[in-house]
Amino acid sequence: MSKLNGICGIIILLVFAVGLSGCVSRPARQHAPDDILTNGEAEFSQGKEELVIRHFFDDRREGVFVDVGCYEPFRNSTTAYLEKKLGWSGVAVDAQPGLAARWKADRPRSTFVQYIVTDHSGTWESFYLAMGLSSTNPDHVSHFVPNRKHQPKRITVPTITLTELLDKNGIDHIDLLSMDIEEGEPMALAGFCIEAGPTFPERRAEILKYFSEHNYRRIEKYRKVDIVNTYFTPNEED
């Protein structure tokens, strides 16, 4: 069974994705508030991503997540509530340096690793940072930081595929995959066997095609709640 067929919840492309297929049944839910999408307030995520995830899983406990492009343990996190309040565990991945100690102290149920997640493993490649933004593409960072006083800083980071990442951590199923890696999503998904926001429509089409070909569908009911992120689930999921 491929790694793609081992995900049983939702995939969030961030800009987020929720769910992979292959689950025999969905674990019992704990029942999130019925009005969480309309009246709930996110404790950690930047937008309503946390509320959408809680709604989809009905506050299910002790699931498994992979958070690619996780950044800080709590600020703007799509998985902090799951770990802190519902006992989830998982793998957090980010190419930015200096995050490992904070994750170890603040998110002990997570395993943090520093990698560029892409379609190949075992190389060291360029990664660019500026004013809290980061990407493998320096032009992407510069686009959002036009001030020449803050030109991107180049570092080198090891690469890994999603499949190898899961193998190294002994993970054979995922309930939630959250991915926010600034233009790197298609390459990361290619290494599995996507910020897809309105700013980058050309990548949205590519990502939609990818999930359609792998028997996933977009969760339409969340589009009115969250216009920034795109959510996917296996075709057999509700």
Side-chain angles (χ1 to χ4, degrees), residues 53-111:
I53 293 168
R54 290 182 59 195
H55 180 269
F56 182 89
F57 289 106
D58 274 357
D59 278 355
R60 170 193 158 188
R61 297 191 61 83
E62 299 181 355
V64 178
F65 63 79
V66 171
D67 192 345
V68 182
C70 60
Y71 194 42
E72 296 183 355
F74 295 120
R75 185 163 69 104
N76 297 338
S77 174
T78 60
T79 59
Y81 188 96
L82 298 176
E83 180 173 341
K84 186 175 178 64
K85 301 298 180 66
L86 297 174
W88 285 48
S89 60
V91 177
V93 193
D94 204 291
Q96 296 200 47
L99 295 172
R102 295 171 59 188
W103 274 83
K104 184 176 182 179
D106 295 339
R107 301 275 301 271
R109 296 181 65 88
S110 298
T111 298

Side-chain angles (χ1 to χ4, degrees), residues 118-134:
T118 186
D119 64 348
H120 57 273
S121 297
T123 61
W124 285 76
E125 298 184 7
S126 296
F127 191 72
Y128 300 88
L129 312 164
M131 297 181 65
L133 298 173
S134 62

Side-chain angles (χ1 to χ4, degrees), residues 63-204:
V64 178
F65 63 79
V66 171
D67 192 345
V68 182
C70 60
Y71 194 42
E72 296 183 355
F74 295 120
R75 185 163 69 104
N76 297 338
S77 174
T78 60
T79 59
Y81 188 96
L82 298 176
E83 180 173 341
K84 186 175 178 64
K85 301 298 180 66
L86 297 174
W88 285 48
S89 60
V91 177
V93 193
D94 204 291
Q96 296 200 47
L99 295 172
R102 295 171 59 188
W103 274 83
K104 184 176 182 179
D106 295 339
R107 301 275 301 271
R109 296 181 65 88
S110 298
T111 298
F112 176 87
V113 289
Q114 184 188 5
Y115 284 109
I116 293 171
V117 179
T118 186
D119 64 348
H120 57 273
S121 297
T123 61
W124 285 76
E125 298 184 7
S126 296
F127 191 72
Y128 300 88
L129 312 164
M131 297 181 65
L133 298 173
S134 62
S135 176
T136 54
N137 181 355
D139 293 334
H140 179 85
V141 177
S142 297
H143 176 76
F144 293 100
V145 187
N147 191 330
R148 293 188 178 184
K149 294 181 180 179
H150 300 285
Q151 289 302 298
K153 175 185 177 182
R154 176 184 172 275
I155 63 173
T156 57
V157 181
T159 61
I160 197 169
T161 65
L162 276 172
T163 296
E164 184 172 341
L165 177 73
L166 299 181
D167 288 342
K168 281 181 175 290
N169 288 277
I171 296 175
D172 60 8
H173 85 278
I174 303 170
D175 298 299
L176 169 67
L177 169 64
S178 178
M179 190 179 298
D180 182 10
I181 48 176
E182 306 297 345
E183 295 192 330
E185 291 83 4
M187 295 287 281
L189 290 171
F192 203 16
C193 329
I194 329 171
E195 200 154 305
T199 307
F200 305 101
E202 69 281 2
R203 291 212 308 281
R204 178 179 291 276

Side-chain angles (χ1 to χ4, degrees), residues 9-20:
I10 51 175
I11 297 169
I12 303 176
L13 296 179
L14 254 84
V15 124
F16 302 97
V18 193
L20 298 184

